[in-house]
């Protein structure tokens, strides 16, 4: 049976962990009078990660001329970089600006490639999501410089 003291200590530890994580989520950056939160950039990275994985899976199922190995590989690579970038910001890694720059480059390339393979609205949505992530990451990297 768990003693009351152990239970209280565990609760205090969880509460402290929650308060320590809050500053990272609420961190604000300012550039040219425009507020950009790290949380917004993280959300854009997570959205791009998901969209790229879903689009790669969709292309694989659809087959056809647009489902090239190079496009599917690019989508998967972009997704992985978006996830790594989001994770670095969540951890408050000092390397997050490097990852943001790389993520912006990858997302820009992925967005262009998706537009060149427009099959339907999914490819347009993927391109738009990647463009949003690229813009957020570029702004985040520039603010940290």
């Amino acid at each position: 049976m768990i003693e009351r003291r152990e239970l209280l200590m565990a609760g205090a530890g969880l509460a402290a962990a929650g308060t320590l994580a809050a500053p990272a989520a609420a961190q604000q950056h300012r550039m040219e009078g425009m507020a950009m939160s790290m949380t917004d950039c993280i959300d854009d990275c997570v959205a791009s990660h998901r969209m790229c994985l879903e689009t790669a899976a969709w292309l694989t199922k659809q087959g056809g001329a647009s489902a090239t190995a190079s496009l599917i590989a690019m989508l998967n690579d972009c997704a992985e970089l978006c996830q790594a970038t989001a994770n670095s910001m969540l951890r408050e890694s000092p390397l997050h600006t490097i990852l943001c720059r790389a993520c912006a480059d990858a997302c820009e390339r992925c967005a262009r490639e998706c537009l060149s393979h427009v099959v339907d609205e999914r490819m347009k949505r993927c391109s738009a999501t990647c463009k949003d992530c690229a813009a957020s990451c570029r702004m985040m990297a520039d603010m940290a410089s």
Side-chain angles (χ1 to χ4, degrees):
M1 183 167 206
I2 298 177
E3 290 190 28
R4 185 170 189 258
R5 178 181 286 163
E6 290 176 47
L7 185 60
L8 289 174
M9 294 300 286
L14 290 173
T19 59
L20 292 175
Q27 184 174 356
Q28 294 285 326
H29 294 281
R30 298 206 177 269
M31 180 176 172
E32 300 171 0
M34 190 171 155
M36 167 76 182
S37 76
M38 191 175 280
T39 301
D40 292 338
C41 189
I42 291 166
D43 291 345
D44 286 343
C45 287
V46 170
S48 185
H49 169 255
R50 180 179 180 163
M51 179 60 76
C52 286
L53 286 180
E54 289 174 350
T55 302
W58 178 81
L59 281 170
T60 301
K61 288 178 188 172
Q62 292 295 317
S66 292
T68 64
S70 62
L71 177 57
I72 292 168
M74 178 177 284
L75 287 162
N76 285 323
D77 288 345
C78 187
E80 292 297 320
L81 191 48
C82 289
Q83 183 179 39
T85 303
N87 289 346
S88 73
M89 287 185 280
L90 288 167
R91 289 191 311 272
E92 297 184 52
S93 168
L95 300 178
H96 86 269
T97 56
I98 295 168
L99 288 167
C100 281
R101 282 189 187 92
C103 188
D105 290 345
C107 284
E108 286 166 0
R109 290 180 187 180
C110 193
R112 281 193 306 269
E113 192 67 22
C114 284
L115 279 183
S116 71
H117 290 274
V118 173
V119 178
D120 73 349
E121 288 301 310
R122 175 177 289 279
M123 298 303 286
K124 289 180 187 176
R125 282 194 320 268
C126 188
S127 178
T129 302
C130 285
K131 282 181 186 177
D132 290 345
C133 184
S136 291
C137 283
R138 185 83 55 215
M139 188 179 293
M140 188 61 59
D142 289 347
M143 286 187 285
S145 298

